[in-house]
Amino acid sequence: MEFYEAIDRRSSVRDFTDETIPREVIERIVGAALKAPTNDHFRDWHFIVVTDKAVMSEVLEGVPKDLTIKDVDNMTFISDPVQKSAYQFAVPKQYSMLMNAAAVIIPLMEKKVDILHPANLSHLNCFASVWCSIENLWLAATAEGYGCNLRIPLGDEEKKAREATGFPEEYMIPCFIGIGRAAEGAFRTKQLVPDIEKQLHWQKF
Ligand SMILES: Cc1cc2nc3c(=O)[nH]c(=O)nc-3n(C[C@H](O)[C@H](O)[C@H](O)COP(=O)(O)O)c2cc1C
């Protein structure tokens, strides 16, 4: 797939078929993630790919299963109607979009500094870098014909995933990634249209 086509086709997919993903495809996709730009030339991320449904269920034990469209009404930070409709679709699927995926991929970044209490912006470099790798992964998955979704772990979600997979204490999960073949008619988020005239500045703001 051509590069700009992958950019245009990428969107969050939260409904999947039962199709599994061949191992070599996962290796190519994670290989693309491992080529992302990185701070200090570390590129020291790890990725755990969970395809076994019993392990997946343990990994996702902390993810809320009972969120509904009504929970979106309590999210006072949403004002735009397009954003609201995206949340109304996404929020009730936070568990199923991962549990029904062919695989849950867990990126891991090493906490070399206290990133929850950064003294300056460079203390967040490892967090910024891992997100570069996540975008590479998402675009590579799109180019391979698969869809992805993301969930930021909250509360004890990371702890449960650590207990289920045994990754060391010094690693942190930036997000869970659900990946699989999009179900027919899978909902795609209505895109906010970028305004190049307004958002691109030449020389001065
Ligand atoms: C940093 C970040 C955090 C996100 N967190 C979540 C999340 O917790 N749950 C979810 O369903 N989607 C999450 N998303 C996906 C966004 O909601 C989605 O990318 C956005 O609405 C645009 O839709 P699109 O991906 O279909 O283009 C996240 C995306 C990013 C980049």
Side-chain angles (χ1 to χ4, degrees):
M1 190 184 292
E2 199 262 326
F3 178 73
Y4 284 101
E5 188 186 350
I7 297 264
D8 285 340
R9 283 203 186 189
R10 186 220 55 81
S11 71
S12 296
V13 173
R14 297 185 178 89
D15 293 292
F16 298 105
T17 67
D18 292 337
E19 195 181 317
T20 56
I21 307 175
R23 197 183 175 92
E24 64 272 18
V25 176
I26 293 277
E27 285 173 357
R28 276 201 299 272
I29 291 171
V30 173
L34 288 168
K35 288 181 184 159
T38 177
N39 64 304
D40 303 317
H41 215 47
F42 283 140
R43 209 169 273 137
D44 52 356
W45 316 295
H46 291 260
F47 293 83
I48 305 175
V49 179
V50 180
T51 54
D52 182 296
K53 289 290 167 185
V55 181
M56 215 184 261
S57 159
E58 284 176 37
V59 164
L60 302 175
E61 203 187 312
V63 178
K65 303 172 182 65
D66 51 2
L67 294 173
T68 69
I69 202 166
K70 290 208 181 87
D71 291 297
V72 179
D73 293 336
N74 302 326
M75 298 177 179
T76 47
F77 56 91
I78 310 171
S79 52
D80 181 273
V82 176
Q83 275 172 330
K84 187 162 186 175
S85 71
Y87 266 82
Q88 285 172 330
F89 179 77
V91 166
K93 291 195 183 269
Q94 292 304 288
Y95 182 75
S96 66
M97 71 185 193
L98 294 165
M99 195 59 212
N100 298 336
V104 171
I105 302 183
I106 309 173
L108 294 173
M109 52 175 256
E110 198 177 334
K111 293 179 277 183
K112 296 193 173 73
V113 290
D114 183 1
I115 71 152
L116 295 182
H117 304 92
N120 58 56
L121 208 51
S122 75
H123 283 176
L124 294 174
N125 280 355
C126 61
F127 189 55
S129 297
V130 80
W131 276 98
C132 294
S133 85
I134 292 162
E135 176 68 343
N136 265 23
L137 185 152
W138 202 342
L139 289 173
T142 306
E144 295 279 359
Y146 295 94
C148 292
N149 59 62
L150 304 181
R151 172 169 176 82
I152 308 299
L154 299 172
D156 65 355
E157 291 173 48
E158 182 181 78
K159 182 169 165 274
K160 298 282 182 195
R162 180 181 280 112
E163 286 165 4
T165 57
F167 67 84
E169 194 62 41
E170 63 269 25
Y171 288 92
M172 193 172 182
I173 305 180
C175 67
F176 295 115
I177 304 170
I179 178 170
R181 184 82 70 194
E184 210 176 310
F187 178 89
R188 302 280 172 146
T189 321
K190 185 165 184 247
Q191 294 294 311
L192 294 166
V193 183
D195 186 341
I196 287 283
E197 292 297 316
K198 197 169 147 200
Q199 293 176 278
L200 171 64
H201 307 268
W202 295 93
Q203 276 58 264
K204 296 192 178 186
F205 190 92

